[in-house]
Amino acid sequence: MKVTYPRRRILESIQPYEPGRPISEVQREHGLERVIKLASNENPLGPAPLAVQAIQREISQIYRYPDASGFHLRQKLAARFGLDMSNIMLGNGSVEIIDILCVAFLDPADEMVTSERAFSKYVIATRWMGGVPVLAPMKNWTFDLNAIFERITNQTRLIFIANPNNPTGTRVSNEEIHRFVSRLPHHVVVVFDEAYFDYLEPEERPDTLRYVREGRNVVILHTFSKAYGLAGLRIGYALAPVHLVHEMNIVREAFNMNHLAQIAAPAALDDEEFLQRSRELNRQSKQMFLDELNRLGLDYVPTCANFVLIHFDRPAAKIFQALLRRGVITRPMRGYHLPNSLRVTFGTLEENEVFFRTLEAALAQPVEMPSAP
Ligand SMILES: *Cc1c(COP(=O)(O)O)cnc(C)c1O
């Protein structure tokens, strides 16, 4: 029997987001005891301990609906950034806020400009709305804000800039950002997705808060998923002028931040010790990766985040599989049209060692030749 159903034509053009493989699945499929996941840019130290304690104290309250306004967390974030509470919107991960932005600002045929090899969610959420993704080329694996600016038309409504970008790990400078924002026409909203903000050194940090304070059409996205170690809770936030938060709130599901996330996030913000430890480990891991990648003579993109994009001289699918069979999950980059590359998240120092030992073994395998007919 032929099944017919209503189908939006646009869905044919969308590749669903491809997440990293979960540890339990790889353990099951490959019969492995120990699996190291370096695939989703999670914090290898686990969650912020103060966040865990806060959840344990509050767990019995999950029978109630959460505070739809997220009052406590928004108040805390407002104080931290010197903003008003009305400048803050919470999301079920910052990825939900990417969706919310597309629902709030894109009509069919409206254009969203970003870079090629930018975080793939911007294109997916744009297509959902029937919007048109416009991709500017990169320069040295980095967002080229001039190339993006040149692609702004009367139909452009949204611009997404991941800074640092995932999967390249590169960032744009404050001078470039300033030149870009100063010239922006009023009919576009520019979104700075700063998911890796906490891993940047102070002198590397984007100074984008000033544009929110000035009331420009600028939205900043931050998350608790990376340096704070709360990826499984799903909580992120937007900092934006009131007029933009107003539009976004119209399309926000009222109970989009769950209760435990609202309890854990403020506690994580108080956990300075954990954040410092996470940053310090990341510094050490970055150095270790650079040293090892150089030693192995591998090509990579210099990173300022908690992962690195490695380019091989052959299809990376085989290397990915060889690592997987030995219990190390990395992230293939086919979806980004980089079939010879893998993105690898920094682990603990011990996990990093296992990764490089395993990688060397995987690379030592003979390259398979096509068999003769
Ligand atoms: C990890 C990541 C996010 C964060 O996603 P959450 O939904 O907050 O977990 C957002 N943007 C980029 C570029 C990322 O890499």
Side-chain angles (χ1 to χ4, degrees):
M1 194 186 76
K2 189 170 180 300
V3 182
T4 57
Y5 57 101
R7 181 140 202 241
R8 286 181 67 201
R9 287 288 298 279
I10 198 71
L11 299 193
E12 291 164 20
S13 71
I14 302 176
Q15 294 292 329
Y17 183 77
E18 210 180 319
R21 303 276 305 272
I23 289 178
S24 54
E25 185 183 290
V26 173
Q27 281 174 324
R28 231 172 18 245
E29 280 181 18
H30 295 265
L32 294 163
E33 287 267 307
R34 185 182 187 200
V35 169
I36 296 173
K37 185 181 177 200
L38 306 176
S40 300
N41 303 343
E42 294 149 344
N43 190 328
L45 293 177
L50 290 186
V52 175
Q53 289 170 24
I55 289 175
Q56 283 166 341
R57 279 196 303 271
E58 198 69 22
I59 191 86
S60 64
Q61 294 307 307
I62 58 170
Y63 70 105
R64 292 209 188 276
Y65 277 96
D67 174 2
S69 79
F71 185 89
H72 182 47
L73 176 56
R74 280 173 53 237
Q75 189 181 47
K76 192 146 185 128
L77 289 168
R80 165 163 297 227
F81 292 107
L83 294 170
D84 192 83
M85 277 178 70
S86 59
N87 294 123
I88 295 161
M89 201 193 72
L90 307 179
N92 187 30
S94 52
V95 154
E96 190 205 14
I97 308 181
I98 296 170
D99 297 343
I100 286 175
L101 284 160
C102 289
V103 177
F105 295 107
L106 295 180
D107 274 328
D110 281 348
E111 293 169 9
M112 178 283 294
V113 188
T114 188
S115 176
E116 59 177 357
R117 280 146 202 170
F119 190 47
S120 61
K121 186 70 214 228
Y122 313 141
V123 167
I124 295 172
T126 296
R127 288 232 166 93
W128 286 352
M129 301 310 299
V132 180
V134 177
L135 304 185
M138 286 196 146
K139 209 160 144 184
N140 285 330
W141 300 97
T142 307
F143 268 65
D144 179 350
L145 298 193
N146 287 324
I148 289 180
F149 191 85
E150 285 166 12
R151 280 159 182 80
I152 296 175
T153 70
N154 288 336
Q155 281 302 108
T156 308
R157 293 293 173 271
L158 274 178
I159 298 174
F160 280 99
I161 298 170
N163 190 32
N165 182 43
N166 171 11
T168 56
T170 51
R171 69 182 187 94
V172 287
S173 71
N174 279 319
E175 297 75 60
E176 290 167 284
I177 291 172
H178 194 64
R179 229 176 306 128
F180 182 77
V181 173
S182 310
R183 295 189 291 164
L184 271 185
H186 293 295
H187 68 277
V188 301
V189 171
V190 57
V191 183
F192 290 99
D193 182 348
E194 299 174 358
Y196 301 94
F197 183 90
D198 301 290
Y199 283 119
L200 293 170
E201 299 300 335
E203 70 278 6
E204 296 176 324
R205 296 208 182 127
D207 177 24
T208 40
L209 209 52
R210 56 189 288 196
Y211 307 118
V212 173
R213 291 206 186 95
E214 290 168 10
R216 301 217 189 216
N217 291 334
V218 167
V219 177
I220 301 170
L221 301 182
H222 283 188
T223 181
F224 286 94
S225 297
K226 307 284 157 64
Y228 288 101
L230 302 181
L233 272 186
R234 313 304 304 128
I235 182 111
Y237 56 96
L239 309 173
V242 184
H243 60 276
L244 300 183
V245 173
H246 174 80
E247 300 295 298
M248 291 153 71
N249 264 324
I250 296 173
V251 298
R252 178 177 70 85
E253 203 286 308
F255 301 112
N256 65 332
M257 315 73 78
N258 73 77
H259 181 63
L260 295 180
Q262 289 190 45
I263 294 297
L269 285 173
D270 284 337
D271 208 332
E272 257 315 300
E273 198 265 333
F274 177 76
L275 190 66
Q276 291 312 333
R277 221 157 23 95
S278 302
R279 284 191 180 132
E280 182 50 35
L281 171 61
N282 201 61
R283 265 181 223 117
Q284 292 176 12
S285 286
K286 182 155 66 177
Q287 192 56 54
M288 180 174 175
F289 263 76
L290 299 192
D291 291 345
E292 287 292 294
L293 291 169
N294 289 335
R295 182 178 67 79
L296 295 172
L298 290 170
D299 187 19
Y300 60 89
V301 181
T303 178
C304 47
N306 65 341
F307 57 85
V308 63
L309 184 63
I310 306 174
H311 305 309
F312 297 95
D313 59 0
R314 64 190 93 162
K318 290 239 167 62
I319 302 169
F320 169 79
Q321 284 299 339
L323 289 167
L324 201 63
R325 275 197 306 275
R326 294 170 169 88
V328 179
I329 316 176
T330 58
R331 190 67 160 271
M333 291 282 114
R334 262 185 327 255
Y336 291 90
H337 308 293
L338 297 169
N340 289 5
S341 308
L342 291 178
R343 192 196 67 196
V344 183
T345 306
F346 302 154
T348 62
L349 297 181
E350 194 257 343
E351 287 174 335
N352 298 342
E353 265 169 41
V354 174
F355 165 71
F356 278 105
R357 231 184 300 136
T358 313
L359 179 65
E360 278 196 275
L363 290 174
Q365 285 185 336
V367 182
E368 268 174 55
M369 292 296 164
S371 51

